[in-house]
Every structure is written in C-alpha cells, then in structure tokens.
Amino acid sequence: MGTSLQEFAQKNNIVGLGEEALEAIIKQEQGYTLERAQQFLSFHQRIEHELLNHPIITHNAYTSWFEKGEANTAQVKDLIIQFSVFSNLFLHAQLHKVINSDSIESMRASKEILVNELGVIFRPREKKLRNETQAVSNDYDDAKDPALLSPEGTVDGGTFRFSAAHFEWMVRIAESLGLGFNDIGKRKHGCETTLFFCDELVRIYGSEDYETSQAASYAVENWAARGFWKQLIRGLQSYKEKHNSKLSIGFFTYHDRLEAQHADHTQDELEEYYFENPHLNEDAFIQNGNQMLKAVQVFWDGLEKRRKNIESSPA
C-alpha cells in the first residue's frame, strides 16, 4: 500500500481497508464514505470472531491426524475417493454460482474458477515479450504436472488442456493407488456426509440469493486458505516415503498455491459488495457463512469417523 494511502487510512481511523476501497473513498465514489468504512471494519471484526473462529477452521480433527503420516493405504484411498466426489460435484455448485451472479464482473470471477477447474490454464495478466510467452506456452504442453502451472493470472486468453483439468489430476492420484476412473468422482462413490456437503454447496454457495452465495463463498475460501491443504500434503508425503510410492500429489500442492489468492480476491469482493449494498444484512451473512462451514465440518467429520472404522492394512 502506498504511503499516501496508509497516511489517509491512519488519519481517518480506517486502517485495515483495502487499497481499492481507500482510493474509492478518496475519490468520493458513490457509497464509499468514511462512515461506511468504519461500519465495514466493525463488521469485519464480527466476521473474525463469529465466523472465522468456526471449529473446522481452528481445529480440523481429521487433517490434524492425517498430517502425522499415520494413514494406511485403505485410509488414503478413502480420502481420495471422497475428495474426488467433492472435487467433481463442486463443478455443479460453481456453475450455479456463475448462473446466479448479480453482475457481469461477478459472473466473470466465478467463470475464472469454473473453467480453470475444467482445464483452462491461467496466463499472466501483464503483457509479456513474445519469446517469454512462447517459453511459458512450451512449459504448458504437458499439463499433467500441476507444478508447471501458475495458480495466478486470468483464464481470458488462456490455453485449454484436457490434462490440466483438476479432476484428471485426481484420476492420476487414484491410479497410483490401484483405483480406476470409474472408481472415483461419481455421486454413487460418495458417502452420506460427503454428499451432504456437496448438496449444501449447491444450495448455499450456488444460491439464487447472491448475498447468501457471497457469504458461503467467503466462508469456503477462508476455510480453504487456512492450512488444511498443507496438512494433507504433509501426510501424503509421509505416506509416499513410508511406502516408496510414486503417488502423485500435484492436485493438492496446486490447490495449496491457488487458495491464498482466492481468499484475497474474496476479501476484495466483500469490501466492494459491502460498500455498494448499504442494506446488507450482517446477521444473515454471518449465519449463512456458518451454515456453509457446518457443511464443511460434516464432510471432514465423516472422514474422521470412517478412518477410525477402516481396518489397519499392511499395504
């Protein structure tokens, strides 16, 4: 943040507001007032205490166990199967979010997530020299390795690769565990708790009421950015070492890199939405966000219960 913006924020007691909002206040754009800025900061404090302190964010029992590297093959398979159902059915919820957007800008933001999931590779937003662009394009010729792909940029003008589809990365993980394409990803493969989570994503995250959808999106993206990916990665790496496995974990490492920017974008979207919608129901926003996180917790608690019930396997 520039020095002048910092000084303006400090002078007016609105430190913590994003740059775009601060600039809009300085320009006196419609709805962007100092009073509304202070109201937003108070609202954001409520969110921190009443939403982002949810147990599934502060302590996920399953991922805390998994990162210790104690999972056997049967337990790892169970994780991959249930996560593949969530990953595949998430497309349904994201499409609902695209359809139910309240502006062309929000529709485009939702499309960025959807088509990247389907295999459109992000390209840098800034212009590149022709030889630099060609070099990047060559790196993308084999999109089977998510490590080659940037989690930042835009899908506008990006390249589609079948092998860059996130579910195809999940298929490759499954294959290294002896599972096939038809063993994962379908609704029939999901347990009751996984399907509850997926259905709640459609109902809340993909809601026709955009304010409800925004609350769910904010909750989901902040959950996803709070470290559970790293916990799963550590557990999978331990499994690979113990079993001398060629298990592909690119799906997880890519999403770990991706989610940080998603949370940042969601924060910017929340600020913009708050200033442009003076009648936003703060109580309903927090309630809907918590409903979404409750569904997230049902998913992980289901995995926790299942892993305890799975017999130890020597494999």
Side-chain angles (χ1 to χ4, degrees):
M1 185 181 295
T3 303
S4 59
L5 287 179
Q6 286 180 334
E7 291 174 347
F8 177 79
Q10 291 171 348
K11 179 180 178 181
N12 292 282
N13 196 29
I14 51 175
V15 173
L17 210 61
E19 288 188 24
E20 292 184 8
L22 288 172
E23 289 173 350
I25 293 170
I26 292 172
K27 295 176 183 177
Q28 298 184 333
E29 294 182 12
Q30 184 174 358
Y32 285 83
T33 65
L34 289 173
E35 180 183 7
R36 190 63 176 161
Q38 290 165 350
Q39 290 171 348
F40 174 80
L41 292 174
S42 296
F43 176 47
H44 194 258
Q45 283 186 335
R46 284 193 64 193
I47 288 175
E48 287 287 340
H49 293 296
E50 299 175 36
L51 180 61
L52 300 185
N53 268 329
H54 193 283
I56 200 57
I57 291 179
T58 59
H59 179 69
N60 183 327
Y62 178 85
T63 55
S64 294
W65 163 78
F66 192 86
E67 74 172 324
K68 296 176 183 177
E70 298 173 358
N72 60 43
T73 299
Q75 290 164 329
V76 172
K77 283 183 178 181
D78 186 59
L79 168 67
I80 297 306
I81 292 170
Q82 296 309 311
F83 216 97
S84 74
V85 174
F86 156 50
S87 177
N88 218 13
L89 296 190
F90 173 72
L91 298 175
H92 189 193
Q94 190 62 36
L95 180 58
H96 273 256
K97 199 168 190 301
V98 170
I99 293 169
N100 294 325
S101 299
D102 74 337
S103 67
I104 192 70
E105 291 79 15
S106 63
M107 175 175 277
R108 288 180 175 181
S110 294
K111 283 181 179 179
E112 290 267 1
I113 296 173
L114 179 62
V115 299
N116 178 248
E117 288 275 344
L118 290 169
V120 179
I121 297 167
F122 287 126
R123 68 172 182 81
R125 291 183 184 275
E126 65 273 12
K127 293 182 179 180
K128 298 284 186 180
L129 296 175
R130 171 174 282 184
N131 61 339
E132 291 177 328
T133 303
Q134 184 63 43
V136 171
S137 178
N138 289 339
D139 281 342
Y140 291 169
D141 284 344
D142 184 1
K144 292 181 180 180
D145 184 0
L148 294 177
L149 305 182
S150 171
E152 300 178 355
T154 177
V155 296
D156 193 15
T159 303
F160 172 80
R161 294 281 189 271
F162 284 116
S163 54
H166 297 194
F167 186 72
E168 292 205 17
W169 298 339
M170 185 63 74
V171 170
R172 285 189 280 280
I173 300 174
E175 288 174 342
S176 63
L177 291 167
L179 299 167
F181 179 85
N182 289 316
D183 295 320
I184 65 169
K186 308 291 193 298
R187 189 174 180 88
K188 65 182 179 181
H189 299 128
C191 64
E192 182 180 354
T193 50
T194 297
L195 296 181
F196 175 81
F197 174 40
C198 294
D199 291 343
E200 287 290 88
L201 278 168
V202 174
R203 184 180 74 86
I204 310 173
Y205 178 87
S207 174
E208 291 184 14
D209 179 71
Y210 190 69
E211 197 166 293
T212 298
S213 175
Q214 281 293 90
S217 179
Y218 187 87
V220 165
E221 296 299 351
N222 278 278
W223 153 64
R226 294 295 177 106
F228 88 83
W229 291 105
K230 288 181 173 61
Q231 290 179 305
L232 295 180
I233 290 166
R234 284 192 285 269
L236 290 169
Q237 287 174 333
S238 294
Y239 175 85
K240 287 180 65 173
E241 293 168 4
K242 285 183 179 179
H243 297 266
N244 194 26
S245 169
K246 294 183 178 180
L247 187 70
S248 169
I249 61 173
F251 173 92
F252 294 94
T253 57
Y254 180 83
H255 281 83
D256 181 47
R257 294 157 56 212
L258 180 67
E259 295 302 345
Q261 68 158 338
H262 277 186
D264 290 343
H265 292 169
T266 303
Q267 181 66 24
D268 292 339
E269 289 172 9
L270 176 62
E271 288 188 11
E272 180 181 356
Y273 191 79
Y274 190 88
F275 278 97
E276 295 179 1
N277 294 272
H279 302 298
L280 179 144
N281 187 326
E282 296 182 8
D283 292 336
F285 186 97
I286 291 172
Q287 181 181 0
N288 288 323
N290 275 308
Q291 278 194 338
M292 192 70 261
L293 291 179
K294 178 182 177 182
V296 173
Q297 183 158 25
V298 167
F299 170 71
W300 289 113
D301 285 351
L303 280 165
E304 174 71 358
K305 182 178 180 179
R306 287 169 66 85
R307 70 95 175 169
K308 290 179 178 179
N309 293 333
I310 292 173
E311 279 188 36
S312 296
S313 170

